[in-house]
Amino acid sequence: MSKATLLHEANEWVKKGDYERFLTSCTEDTEWVFVGDQVLSGKQAVREYMKEFYREPPVFTVDTTIEEGNFVTVTGEIRLKGIDGNYSHYDYCDIWRFENDKMAALKAFVIEKK
């Protein structure tokens, strides 16, 4: 199975709010870098992030997917529901690195739409 397919299948679990199932697609030491914001080290840190920021499953689309070797790059839009009940809208570019068919690293460029 292609790494792009693995990523898209894992993201379907996020859309359904099954974050634990999504996390089975990540390595234990996965590292997520949100450029200019924060770095999450390890699956537990990602779990805590999802619990805080994905109060409801995010609504997102993928516009472009590019797979090259152990990397998959995706671009699209995402909406996140805030604590106030309002949605924030973002454009994103995610670069995923895979190890043994699991997501080992993410470098995310996320820009809020005003």
Side-chain angles (χ1 to χ4, degrees):
M1 183 179 307
S2 77
K3 290 167 180 52
T5 299
L6 292 170
L7 174 63
H8 292 307
E9 287 182 356
N11 278 338
E12 287 303 310
W13 295 113
V14 173
K15 288 180 179 181
K16 294 176 183 175
D18 192 345
Y19 309 132
E20 286 303 315
R21 181 85 183 258
F22 169 84
L23 288 169
T24 65
S25 301
C26 297
T27 61
E28 286 298 322
D29 62 348
T30 191
E31 181 175 83
W32 291 17
V33 176
F34 294 93
V35 174
D37 187 31
Q38 63 180 311
V39 176
L40 307 176
S41 297
K43 198 181 280 192
Q44 184 59 34
V46 172
R47 179 179 286 113
E48 291 167 12
Y49 171 86
M50 294 177 106
K51 190 182 294 187
E52 181 178 351
F53 289 99
Y54 295 176
R55 292 172 188 87
E56 288 187 12
V59 178
F60 60 91
T61 60
V62 174
D63 299 328
T64 305
T65 303
I66 303 168
E67 181 174 345
E68 179 73 29
N70 286 325
F71 292 89
V72 177
T73 301
V74 291
T75 64
E77 297 180 22
I78 187 168
R79 291 185 304 145
L80 299 174
K81 191 171 189 177
I83 200 161
D84 61 1
N86 294 317
Y87 281 92
S88 296
H89 302 260
Y90 305 88
D91 285 316
Y92 71 88
C93 176
D94 289 348
I95 303 168
W96 292 92
R97 182 175 55 80
F98 283 75
E99 289 178 3
N100 301 316
D101 292 333
K102 292 200 179 247
M103 294 175 281
L106 165 65
K107 188 169 192 175
F109 299 85
V110 183
I111 302 167
E112 186 172 7
K113 293 182 173 195
K114 302 278 178 171

